[in-house]
Amino acid sequence: MKQFTLDELQKDCSVKQKKGLHFIVSSVFIWAVILVVHLSSLDIMQKNLLTFCATALLFPLAWMFSKWLKIDFQNKENPLTKAGILFSVNQMLYILIAMWVFNAVPDKMLMVFAMIFGAHLMPFSWLYSSKTYLILSIFIPIMSLVLGHVAPIYVLALVMIVVEIVFSLCLVYECKR
């Protein structure tokens, strides 16, 4: 059995999983759902609850997009896939913060949610050797903090859609290189 270097394993993840493009494209649709929810006349608690519910779409959408984009969804042969799963599951612990904000400061829940989403991307910059992940893992939380304090909350959801589209295009570019 051939031994692979860490660089080779990272490159394998980047190529076979197209740098997680299927998850980022899925997030465009999830943020679109969140935008629609936050444009509705529902009260903030209902909007926040539906925001959490929207995230349940992530894995089904990512699986669907992996088929369409011809991405190896699981890449079971690569041991670094387990690290990618760990990086994703780690976000669940931080969602507990958003759950606290949900009740304590409901008007700021989406801002905190977006900050957590952005920050959780940083380890993927290492996994996929991606500057895009690194830059956006810093940009998204800062942008979310600023917009969450100066703009109506639906603006944050709208901007996140744009950021996720740009993110997707940057990943397509990185994958082609």
Side-chain angles (χ1 to χ4, degrees):
M1 184 170 167
K2 181 179 179 340
Q3 293 292 321
F4 295 97
T5 67
L6 185 55
D7 286 343
E8 290 171 328
L9 291 171
Q10 286 172 301
K11 183 171 176 117
D12 179 69
C13 272
S14 293
V15 170
K16 288 184 180 170
Q17 294 183 315
K18 294 187 182 174
K19 299 193 178 212
L21 178 63
H22 49 310
F23 282 98
I24 304 305
V25 171
S26 297
S27 70
V28 172
F29 289 90
I30 292 169
W31 281 106
V33 169
I34 292 169
L35 174 63
V36 169
V37 165
H38 283 272
L39 286 172
S40 76
S41 61
L42 297 170
D43 71 59
I44 191 64
M45 297 303 273
Q46 291 172 314
K47 290 177 181 181
N48 287 345
L49 182 60
L50 289 173
T51 295
F52 280 122
C53 292
T55 64
L57 298 171
L58 180 64
F59 281 97
L61 284 172
W63 181 82
M64 183 181 70
F65 283 117
S66 73
K67 298 300 176 202
W68 181 57
L69 297 168
K70 297 177 178 53
I71 295 172
D72 185 349
F73 188 77
Q74 294 180 320
N75 195 13
K76 288 183 179 179
E77 302 83 41
N78 190 323
L80 289 184
T81 299
K82 290 179 184 174
I85 293 168
L86 185 62
F87 297 160
S88 296
V89 172
N90 187 36
Q91 181 183 12
M92 294 308 199
L93 295 173
Y94 301 124
I95 290 297
L96 294 173
I97 298 166
M99 288 179 175
W100 176 81
V101 174
F102 176 96
N103 190 46
V105 193
D107 290 337
K108 298 300 180 194
M109 199 282 294
L110 189 62
M111 175 189 76
V112 171
F113 184 83
M115 292 169 71
I116 291 167
F117 167 78
H120 108 280
L121 298 170
M122 190 173 280
F124 293 99
S125 70
W126 171 82
L127 182 64
Y128 297 132
S129 301
S130 170
K131 288 186 193 305
T132 300
Y133 273 96
L134 181 61
I135 291 165
L136 290 177
S137 72
I138 296 165
F139 173 76
I140 291 171
I142 294 168
M143 180 261 323
S144 299
L145 179 65
V146 171
L147 284 178
H149 285 293
V150 302
I153 202 64
Y154 69 86
V155 172
L156 174 58
L158 179 61
V159 171
M160 283 302 297
I161 294 169
V162 173
V163 168
E164 294 303 290
I165 290 169
V166 170
F167 193 173
S168 298
L169 294 172
C170 289
L171 289 180
V172 167
Y173 174 76
E174 278 189 6
C175 287
K176 287 187 180 196
R177 286 188 320 145

